[in-house]
């Protein structure tokens, strides 16, 4: 059993992206579903679906590439808040990733959202990861 499911998800995406796989299989949790939804809405992945195998649920993420040379859409994924060191930001100190060309994904009291959505709502939360 993995203790840090978010880091496991990001590592699986990062590894599959490096070797240009089309699909990544990730164990489904509420947090991984919410992060996958954000990645889809922001255009970092093409799509995702949930499937069951025996007692377990998995997410199948379709990674996205550009052009004939299949350039990666996701260039970097970075885990920020870890189980040993939690990182929080209030509404005034929300992170800017690559001058807003990238995203920070936050876990807030109103659910998992990007740094831009959190700024609109005027709330802060735990900074889960950066992506660009």
């Amino acid at each position: 059993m993995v203790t840090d499911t978010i880091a496991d998800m990001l590592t699986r995406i990062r590894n599959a992206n490096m070797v240009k796989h089309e699909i990544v299989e990730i164990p489904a949790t509420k947090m991984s579903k919410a992060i996958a939804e954000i990645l889809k809405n922001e255009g970092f992945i093409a799509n995702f679906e949930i499937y069951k195998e025996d007692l377990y649920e998995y997410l199948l993420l379709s990674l996205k590439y550009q052009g004939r040379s299949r350039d990666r859409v996701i260039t970097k994924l970075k885990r920020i808040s870890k189980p040993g060191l939690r990182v929080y930001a209030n509404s005034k100190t929300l992170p800017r990733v690559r001058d807003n060309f990238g995203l920070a994904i936050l876990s807030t009291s109103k659910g998992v959202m990007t740094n831009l959505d959190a700024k609109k709502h005027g709330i802060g939360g735990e900074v889960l990861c950066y992506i660009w």
Side-chain angles (χ1 to χ4, degrees):
M1 183 69 190
V2 177
T3 57
D4 189 4
T5 56
I6 298 168
D8 179 56
M9 176 184 186
L10 297 177
T11 300
R12 287 177 188 232
I13 293 171
R14 192 180 308 116
N15 289 342
N17 197 32
M18 279 196 303
V19 293
K20 296 188 179 182
H21 281 286
E22 291 290 324
I23 295 174
V24 184
E25 181 183 80
I26 298 168
T29 62
K30 287 182 183 180
M31 185 64 74
S32 62
K33 290 175 190 174
I35 292 172
E37 187 68 41
I38 288 174
L39 293 177
K40 180 184 172 191
N41 291 341
E42 297 296 329
F44 287 105
I45 61 173
N47 203 355
F48 74 95
E49 64 181 55
I50 302 166
Y51 84 96
K52 277 190 170 183
E53 185 178 295
D54 297 329
L55 298 175
Y56 301 104
E57 276 190 343
Y58 294 97
L59 289 176
L60 286 179
L61 299 177
S62 300
L63 297 180
K64 200 171 180 181
Y65 301 99
Q66 294 176 335
R68 294 187 75 159
S69 61
R70 293 177 40 95
D71 295 329
R72 297 171 183 90
V73 173
I74 299 173
T75 55
K76 182 104 177 192
L77 282 167
K78 186 175 181 185
R79 178 79 159 117
I80 302 302
S81 186
K82 300 172 183 157
L85 179 64
R86 301 290 184 184
V87 177
Y88 296 95
N90 62 25
S91 61
K92 294 180 178 88
T93 62
L94 287 172
R96 290 182 55 168
V97 182
R98 299 276 178 152
D99 272 342
N100 289 335
F101 283 111
L103 291 177
I105 298 177
L106 285 84
S107 176
T108 67
S109 58
K110 295 191 179 184
V112 179
M113 61 181 67
T114 65
N115 57 338
L116 304 175
D117 291 337
K119 190 167 191 90
K120 286 179 194 171
H121 288 85
I123 56 176
E126 182 182 355
V127 183
L128 300 176
C129 63
Y130 293 162
I131 182 169
W132 67 87

